[in-house]
Amino acid sequence: DNGNIGAAHNLGVTADKAGPNAVIEDHTATEWWALAADNGIAAAAFNLGNAANQLGPDAAIEGHTATEWWRIAADNGNIGAAHNLGVTADKAGPNAVIESHTATEWWALAADNGHASAAFNLGIIAARASVAANKLGPDAVVEGRTATGWWLLAAERGDPRAAYKLGNVADRAGPNTVVEGRIAVDWWVLAHERGGPAALMAASNLAAVAEEFGPDATIGGRTALQWRRLARGETDGPTANP
Protein backbone atom coordinates (compact mmCIF):
# COMPACT_ATOMS: atom_id res chain seq x y z
CA ASP A 1 0.00 0.00 0.00
CA ASN A 2 2.97 2.32 0.53
CA GLY A 3 4.72 1.48 -2.72
CA ASN A 4 7.02 -1.32 -1.56
CA ILE A 5 7.00 -3.54 -4.64
CA GLY A 6 9.36 -6.05 -3.10
CA ALA A 7 6.75 -6.60 -0.40
CA ALA A 8 4.19 -7.43 -3.10
CA HIS A 9 6.48 -10.16 -4.39
CA ASN A 10 6.94 -11.53 -0.88
CA LEU A 11 3.20 -11.56 -0.28
CA GLY A 12 2.88 -13.59 -3.45
CA VAL A 13 5.40 -16.11 -2.15
CA THR A 14 3.47 -16.35 1.13
CA ALA A 15 0.18 -16.91 -0.68
CA ASP A 16 1.76 -19.51 -2.96
CA LYS A 17 3.05 -21.47 0.03
CA ALA A 18 -0.42 -21.35 1.61
CA GLY A 19 -1.83 -23.40 -1.25
CA PRO A 20 -3.63 -23.06 -4.60
CA ASN A 21 -5.82 -19.95 -4.82
CA ALA A 22 -5.00 -18.96 -1.23
CA VAL A 23 -5.72 -15.30 -0.52
CA ILE A 24 -3.30 -13.21 1.52
CA GLU A 25 -4.17 -9.57 2.22
CA ASP A 26 -7.01 -9.69 -0.33
CA HIS A 27 -4.95 -11.08 -3.23
CA THR A 28 -3.80 -14.46 -4.57
CA ALA A 29 -0.17 -15.25 -5.25
CA THR A 30 -0.41 -14.51 -8.96
CA GLU A 31 -2.19 -11.20 -8.33
CA TRP A 32 0.58 -10.07 -5.98
CA TRP A 33 3.26 -11.24 -8.41
CA ALA A 34 1.57 -9.47 -11.32
CA LEU A 35 1.61 -6.24 -9.32
CA ALA A 36 5.31 -6.71 -8.57
CA ALA A 37 6.20 -7.83 -12.12
CA ASP A 38 4.44 -4.84 -13.66
CA ASN A 39 6.75 -2.69 -11.57
CA GLY A 40 9.98 -4.37 -12.61
CA ILE A 41 10.46 -7.23 -10.13
CA ALA A 42 12.05 -9.95 -12.27
CA ALA A 43 11.57 -12.73 -9.72
CA ALA A 44 7.82 -12.13 -9.71
CA ALA A 45 7.64 -12.41 -13.50
CA PHE A 46 9.73 -15.58 -13.32
CA ASN A 47 7.31 -17.08 -10.79
CA LEU A 48 4.34 -16.18 -12.97
CA GLY A 49 6.02 -17.88 -15.91
CA ASN A 50 6.53 -21.02 -13.86
CA ALA A 51 2.91 -20.96 -12.71
CA ALA A 52 1.62 -20.56 -16.27
CA ASN A 53 3.94 -23.29 -17.53
CA GLN A 54 2.46 -25.74 -15.03
CA LEU A 55 -0.93 -25.20 -16.67
CA GLY A 56 0.31 -25.86 -20.22
CA PRO A 57 2.31 -24.20 -23.00
CA ASP A 58 -0.48 -21.86 -24.10
CA ALA A 59 -2.04 -21.17 -20.71
CA ALA A 60 -2.19 -17.55 -19.60
CA ILE A 61 -1.95 -16.24 -16.06
CA GLU A 62 -2.57 -12.60 -15.27
CA GLY A 63 -2.64 -11.79 -18.98
CA HIS A 64 0.51 -13.54 -20.20
CA THR A 65 1.72 -17.01 -21.17
CA ALA A 66 4.73 -18.67 -19.55
CA THR A 67 7.14 -17.57 -22.26
CA GLU A 68 5.83 -14.00 -22.17
CA TRP A 69 6.34 -13.78 -18.41
CA TRP A 70 9.80 -15.35 -18.71
CA ARG A 71 10.67 -12.83 -21.41
CA ILE A 72 9.67 -10.00 -19.08
CA ALA A 73 11.77 -11.58 -16.32
CA ALA A 74 14.75 -12.13 -18.63
CA ASP A 75 14.59 -8.55 -19.86
CA ASN A 76 14.87 -7.51 -16.21
CA GLY A 77 17.94 -9.69 -15.59
CA ASN A 78 16.52 -13.03 -14.39
CA ILE A 79 18.87 -15.67 -15.81
CA GLY A 80 16.61 -18.54 -14.74
CA ALA A 81 13.96 -17.16 -17.07
CA ALA A 82 16.46 -16.98 -19.93
CA HIS A 83 17.39 -20.61 -19.27
CA ASN A 84 13.72 -21.66 -19.29
CA LEU A 85 13.14 -19.86 -22.58
CA GLY A 86 16.08 -21.79 -23.99
CA VAL A 87 14.57 -25.07 -22.81
CA THR A 88 11.24 -24.15 -24.39
CA ALA A 89 12.89 -23.26 -27.71
CA ASP A 90 14.96 -26.44 -27.67
CA LYS A 91 11.84 -28.56 -27.17
CA ALA A 92 10.15 -26.75 -30.06
CA GLY A 93 12.75 -28.09 -32.48
CA PRO A 94 16.02 -27.14 -34.22
CA ASN A 95 16.38 -23.41 -34.75
CA ALA A 96 12.97 -22.70 -33.24
CA VAL A 97 12.56 -19.09 -32.12
CA ILE A 98 10.85 -18.31 -28.81
CA GLU A 99 10.43 -14.68 -27.81
CA SER A 100 12.78 -13.56 -30.61
CA HIS A 101 15.68 -15.92 -29.77
CA THR A 102 16.76 -19.50 -30.40
CA ALA A 103 17.56 -21.94 -27.62
CA THR A 104 21.30 -21.41 -27.89
CA GLU A 105 20.90 -17.63 -27.83
CA TRP A 106 18.82 -17.77 -24.65
CA TRP A 107 21.22 -20.23 -23.04
CA ALA A 108 24.22 -18.12 -23.98
CA LEU A 109 22.60 -15.12 -22.30
CA ALA A 110 21.96 -17.18 -19.17
CA ALA A 111 25.38 -18.86 -19.20
CA ASP A 112 27.27 -15.62 -19.65
CA ASN A 113 25.55 -14.37 -16.51
CA GLY A 114 26.33 -17.36 -14.30
CA HIS A 115 23.75 -20.08 -15.07
CA ALA A 116 25.58 -23.44 -14.94
CA SER A 117 22.84 -25.59 -16.51
CA ALA A 118 22.60 -23.25 -19.48
CA ALA A 119 26.34 -23.63 -20.07
CA PHE A 120 26.01 -27.42 -19.76
CA ASN A 121 23.19 -27.44 -22.32
CA LEU A 122 25.26 -25.41 -24.77
CA GLY A 123 28.03 -27.99 -24.40
CA ILE A 124 25.56 -30.72 -25.33
CA ILE A 125 24.44 -28.77 -28.42
CA ALA A 126 28.05 -28.15 -29.50
CA ALA A 127 28.96 -31.81 -29.03
CA ARG A 128 25.99 -32.85 -31.16
CA ALA A 129 27.07 -30.40 -33.84
CA SER A 130 30.51 -32.02 -33.92
CA VAL A 131 29.02 -35.48 -34.38
CA ALA A 132 26.68 -34.25 -37.10
CA ALA A 133 29.65 -32.81 -38.98
CA ASN A 134 31.53 -36.14 -38.66
CA LYS A 135 34.30 -34.50 -36.70
CA LEU A 136 36.63 -36.50 -34.51
CA GLY A 137 36.24 -34.36 -31.42
CA PRO A 138 33.89 -31.83 -29.83
CA ASP A 139 35.30 -28.86 -31.70
CA ALA A 140 32.20 -27.32 -33.22
CA VAL A 141 31.56 -23.80 -31.96
CA VAL A 142 28.14 -22.79 -30.65
CA GLU A 143 27.56 -19.25 -29.39
CA GLY A 144 31.32 -18.65 -29.27
CA ARG A 145 32.56 -21.76 -27.46
CA THR A 146 33.20 -25.43 -28.11
CA ALA A 147 31.50 -28.17 -26.13
CA THR A 148 34.44 -28.45 -23.74
CA GLY A 149 34.58 -24.69 -23.39
CA TRP A 150 30.93 -24.57 -22.32
CA TRP A 151 31.34 -27.58 -20.03
CA LEU A 152 34.38 -25.99 -18.41
CA LEU A 153 32.29 -22.91 -17.67
CA ALA A 154 29.53 -25.08 -16.23
CA ALA A 155 31.98 -27.15 -14.16
CA GLU A 156 33.54 -24.01 -12.73
CA ARG A 157 30.06 -23.04 -11.58
CA GLY A 158 29.51 -26.35 -9.82
CA ASP A 159 27.74 -28.55 -12.38
CA PRO A 160 28.82 -32.20 -11.79
CA ARG A 161 27.43 -33.32 -15.17
CA ALA A 162 29.84 -30.99 -16.94
CA ALA A 163 32.83 -32.35 -15.01
CA TYR A 164 31.73 -35.89 -15.88
CA LYS A 165 31.42 -35.00 -19.57
CA LEU A 166 34.89 -33.41 -19.60
CA GLY A 167 36.28 -36.59 -18.08
CA ASN A 168 34.69 -38.62 -20.84
CA VAL A 169 36.15 -36.36 -23.52
CA ALA A 170 39.63 -36.64 -22.00
CA ASP A 171 39.29 -40.41 -21.68
CA ARG A 172 38.36 -40.82 -25.35
CA ALA A 173 41.31 -38.65 -26.35
CA GLY A 174 43.77 -41.12 -24.80
CA PRO A 175 45.63 -41.92 -21.56
CA ASN A 176 46.63 -38.86 -19.56
CA THR A 177 45.30 -36.47 -22.19
CA VAL A 178 44.57 -33.06 -20.67
CA VAL A 179 41.25 -31.46 -21.60
CA GLU A 180 40.48 -28.00 -20.25
CA GLY A 181 43.23 -28.32 -17.65
CA ARG A 182 42.63 -31.83 -16.23
CA ILE A 183 42.99 -35.47 -17.20
CA ALA A 184 39.98 -37.79 -17.21
CA VAL A 185 40.34 -39.17 -13.68
CA ASP A 186 40.70 -35.69 -12.20
CA TRP A 187 37.49 -34.56 -13.90
CA TRP A 188 35.67 -37.68 -12.70
CA VAL A 189 36.89 -37.22 -9.13
CA LEU A 190 35.58 -33.65 -9.25
CA ALA A 191 32.24 -34.87 -10.65
CA HIS A 192 31.96 -37.38 -7.82
CA GLU A 193 32.69 -34.75 -5.20
CA ARG A 194 29.89 -32.57 -6.59
CA GLY A 195 27.23 -35.28 -6.10
CA GLY A 196 24.10 -36.21 -8.00
CA PRO A 197 23.60 -38.94 -10.63
CA ALA A 198 26.81 -37.91 -12.39
CA ALA A 199 28.73 -38.79 -9.22
CA LEU A 200 27.67 -42.43 -9.49
CA MET A 201 28.67 -42.64 -13.14
CA ALA A 202 32.00 -41.00 -12.41
CA ALA A 203 32.64 -43.48 -9.59
CA SER A 204 31.96 -46.36 -11.98
CA ASN A 205 34.48 -44.99 -14.48
CA LEU A 206 37.07 -44.48 -11.74
CA ALA A 207 36.57 -48.08 -10.59
CA ALA A 208 37.25 -49.31 -14.11
CA VAL A 209 40.47 -47.30 -14.29
CA ALA A 210 41.65 -48.51 -10.88
CA GLU A 211 40.95 -52.13 -11.83
CA GLU A 212 43.41 -51.86 -14.70
CA PHE A 213 46.20 -51.38 -12.15
CA GLY A 214 45.25 -54.14 -9.71
CA PRO A 215 43.13 -54.61 -6.57
CA ASP A 216 45.32 -52.49 -4.31
CA ALA A 217 45.92 -49.62 -6.74
CA THR A 218 44.34 -46.29 -5.90
CA ILE A 219 42.94 -43.68 -8.23
CA GLY A 220 41.84 -40.42 -6.70
CA GLY A 221 42.64 -41.82 -3.26
CA ARG A 222 40.41 -44.91 -3.53
CA THR A 223 40.72 -48.50 -4.68
CA ALA A 224 38.56 -50.07 -7.38
CA LEU A 225 36.47 -51.79 -4.72
CA GLN A 226 35.81 -48.50 -2.95
CA TRP A 227 34.82 -46.79 -6.19
CA ARG A 228 32.49 -49.68 -7.06
CA ARG A 229 30.75 -49.27 -3.71
CA LEU A 230 30.36 -45.56 -4.31
CA ALA A 231 28.99 -46.25 -7.79
CA ARG A 232 26.25 -48.34 -6.15
CA GLY A 233 25.47 -45.50 -3.76
CA GLU A 234 27.12 -47.19 -0.78
CA THR A 235 29.77 -45.82 1.56
CA ASP A 236 33.33 -46.95 0.95
CA GLY A 237 34.85 -46.73 4.41
CA PRO A 238 38.11 -44.86 5.10
CA THR A 239 39.74 -43.26 2.07
CA ALA A 240 43.12 -44.64 1.10
CA ASN A 241 46.18 -42.45 1.03
CA PRO A 242 46.68 -40.99 -2.47
Side-chain angles (χ1 to χ4, degrees):
D1 290 341
N2 291 310
N4 189 325
I5 301 304
H9 171 258
N10 292 343
L11 284 164
V13 172
T14 301
D16 184 57
K17 290 179 179 178
N21 301 316
V23 173
I24 298 292
E25 299 294 334
D26 300 325
H27 294 288
T28 64
T30 60
E31 289 170 343
W32 279 121
W33 285 334
L35 175 62
D38 288 343
N39 284 275
I41 301 298
F46 177 72
N47 290 344
L48 285 163
N50 292 346
N53 187 57
Q54 290 176 357
L55 299 179
D58 298 320
I61 284 185
E62 303 298 333
H64 294 287
T65 64
T67 59
E68 290 169 342
W69 278 122
W70 286 333
R71 176 60 189 263
I72 292 169
D75 287 345
N76 282 285
N78 188 294
I79 61 173
H83 171 261
N84 288 357
L85 286 164
V87 171
T88 304
D90 184 57
K91 289 180 178 178
N95 302 315
V97 174
I98 296 292
E99 298 295 330
S100 305
H101 295 288
T102 64
T104 60
E105 289 170 343
W106 279 120
W107 284 334
L109 175 63
D112 288 342
N113 286 279
H115 201 289
S117 288
F120 176 79
N121 291 344
L122 285 164
I124 294 292
I125 297 297
R128 288 175 184 167
S130 291
V131 172
N134 294 316
K135 295 179 179 178
L136 297 178
D139 49 4
V141 174
V142 170
E143 301 297 335
R145 297 176 190 259
T146 63
T148 60
W150 282 117
W151 286 332
L152 175 62
L153 188 63
E156 289 174 342
R157 289 166 178 168
D159 194 311
R161 302 167 301 169
Y164 174 73
K165 289 285 189 182
L166 286 165
N168 291 351
V169 172
D171 183 58
R172 287 195 296 268
N176 298 317
T177 299
V178 175
V179 169
E180 300 295 348
R182 299 173 189 252
I183 61 174
V185 295
D186 291 338
W187 279 120
W188 289 332
V189 168
L190 179 62
H192 178 263
E193 291 173 349
R194 296 269 172 81
L200 302 181
M201 295 185 291
S204 180
N205 288 355
L206 288 162
V209 174
E211 285 168 352
E212 295 177 2
F213 295 95
D216 298 322
T218 60
I219 294 292
R222 290 182 169 91
T223 64
L225 178 60
Q226 289 174 311
W227 283 120
R228 286 291 176 205
R229 288 172 177 166
L230 289 170
R232 293 193 296 267
E234 303 171 3
T235 58
D236 66 334
T239 303
N241 290 326

